[in-house]
Amino acid sequence: MALTQVSIRDDILELTDDGPRLMGMRCTDCDNYVFPFQKGCSRCTGTNVERVALGTEGKLWAWTIQGFPPKSPPYLGEADPKAFEPYGVGYVEIEGQLKVEARLTEADPEKLKIGMSMRLTTVALREEEGRDIVTYAFEPTA
């Protein structure tokens, strides 16, 4: 039986019937997009901003493999460093909006290429009260 998914933070990641959506901000003065949401624009310093759902597909702009456990907190992994599994981290450019730093579902360097098509998905962080607490990630589309 599949566990119910719950977003780690609804203000960053909404789980919709159409799939996951990153929630960002668009400045209505200069059309700058920001993720995550901010109350002011980092480009023009304006405060005329709106909450927007960002695109769900993009191109891999840069990437690396996280080969060792990050510091805790914020890392929520196993207490045993030997249980750590490397994972991909990268920037995905959502055309016409921005670049998002995200975990990647692929950790094999031979399968990651700059410019490859990526799609927003979720990955489970932990199980809590019979639910999967998930965060966002990007996966290759091919």
Side-chain angles (χ1 to χ4, degrees):
M1 183 172 141
L3 298 176
T4 301
Q5 289 192 345
V6 177
S7 175
I8 190 165
R9 283 191 43 187
D10 288 334
D11 61 331
I12 292 177
L13 173 68
E14 283 189 359
L15 304 176
T16 73
D17 291 340
D18 294 327
R21 295 302 300 258
L22 294 177
M23 301 311 297
M25 177 225 70
R26 185 182 78 83
C27 176
T28 58
D29 292 332
C30 72
D31 202 36
N32 184 41
Y33 286 83
V34 175
F35 175 78
F37 179 86
Q38 297 181 100
K39 293 182 180 179
C41 179
S42 56
R43 179 185 292 160
C44 74
T45 70
T47 56
N48 297 319
V49 299
E50 62 183 355
R51 188 171 187 255
V52 294
L54 299 174
T56 59
E57 296 189 2
K59 300 284 185 189
L60 188 57
W61 188 77
W63 61 271
T64 190
I65 303 298
Q66 178 69 36
F68 55 89
K71 292 181 180 180
S72 181
Y75 178 62
L76 302 173
E78 299 292 327
D80 178 7
K82 294 177 186 169
F84 175 79
E85 290 187 33
Y87 57 89
V89 177
Y91 283 96
V92 175
E93 184 171 14
I94 300 172
E95 189 174 341
Q97 293 183 329
L98 72 168
K99 294 176 187 84
V100 175
E101 182 180 5
R103 186 169 180 161
L104 305 176
T105 61
E106 183 57 64
D108 181 348
E110 297 299 317
K111 295 181 180 177
L112 293 170
K113 304 288 181 227
I114 300 296
M116 70 187 299
S117 295
M118 306 293 282
R119 174 180 39 241
L120 181 66
T121 189
T122 60
V123 293
L125 291 174
R126 65 182 181 275
E127 186 181 323
E128 190 174 283
E129 299 175 5
R131 304 175 305 172
D132 270 339
I133 307 300
V134 299
T135 190
Y136 65 95
F138 280 86
E139 63 185 354
T141 58

